[in-house]
Amino acid sequence: REGDQAAWAALVERFQRLVYTVPRRMGLGEADAADVFQHVFSRLFESLARIEDPARIRAWLVTTARRESLRLVGEQARVVAVAGAPEGDDAY
């Protein structure tokens, strides 16, 4: 919270495996898992002042990673559905 870069690096290092594991267990590939990771830690950085209990950071990270992963899974499902749709007027 005080802008200590070493503390931030230690926080990221401590929880990086946990955050990366959530999207991988949900079936997302490495690139998507990396996107989730980046989004989660970006949101954490923005939300640090609002997190009152530091002991809750782990739960916050897991919840945020799960939500972001679900969002990506949903986006991919929509893309697959649209990509698999029949083309042309004769499809109807």
Side-chain angles (χ1 to χ4, degrees), residues 73-87 92:
V73 167
E75 282 181 5
Q76 290 176 354
R78 283 189 296 274
V79 169
V80 169
V82 170
E87 294 183 25
Y92 296 100

Side-chain angles (χ1 to χ4, degrees), residues 1 42-52 60:
R1 292 182 184 184
S42 176
R43 297 252 342 256
L44 176 61
F45 184 79
E46 295 168 356
S47 302
L48 277 176
R50 294 187 302 263
I51 298 175
E52 296 177 16
W60 187 96

Side-chain angles (χ1 to χ4, degrees), residues 8 19-20 31-45 68:
W8 176 255
V19 172
Y20 193 80
D32 288 329
D35 288 344
V36 169
F37 176 88
Q38 185 174 4
H39 180 81
V40 168
F41 279 99
S42 176
R43 297 252 342 256
L44 176 61
F45 184 79
E68 180 63 14

